[in-house]
Amino acid sequence: MSFLYGDSLDGLEVFLTRARNLTVGWVPGCLAFVGFLTMEEGWHWSFLALCVLPPVAACLGIHAKREIRPGLAMAALALAVAPLPLVGAIELI
């Protein structure tokens, strides 16, 4: 796989960098989604899920990159994606 990423980057470094970038980049997307939901449907519990979980995931992603912890990076990715099914379940209720 070194021919895809170059010789200077190893697989763990690439994974940690992508996990950090995805979790940090997900925060503005969730905030925009909260704005859309608030304008279209009013105040719902999904507001809390989309405002609390993505910043926590971004912090975990940054710490995982800094401390080189792939398990923490996976937890950050899971927490970043968790609001979508949660919001879907809340809206169905």
Side-chain angles (χ1 to χ4, degrees):
M1 291 285 269
S2 65
F3 63 90
L4 292 177
Y5 301 115
D7 293 331
S8 64
L9 295 174
D10 62 332
L12 180 61
E13 183 71 24
V14 170
F15 169 72
L16 292 174
T17 302
R18 288 183 180 171
R20 180 194 62 193
N21 293 342
L22 182 102
T23 56
V24 171
W26 189 247
V27 174
C30 281
L31 293 178
F33 190 55
V34 163
F36 172 74
L37 285 177
T38 303
M39 287 188 318
E40 292 294 320
E41 300 179 12
W43 180 269
H44 288 288
W45 288 104
S46 60
F47 181 79
L48 295 175
L50 289 168
C51 284
V52 174
L53 291 179
V56 169
C59 290
L60 288 177
I62 291 170
H63 287 295
K65 169 79 169 143
R66 186 178 302 147
E67 297 173 6
I68 308 173
R69 297 179 63 188
L72 189 60
M74 284 301 296
L77 287 173
L79 235 110
V81 177
L84 293 179
L86 186 62
V87 167
I90 289 171
E91 294 296 326
L92 286 176
I93 293 177

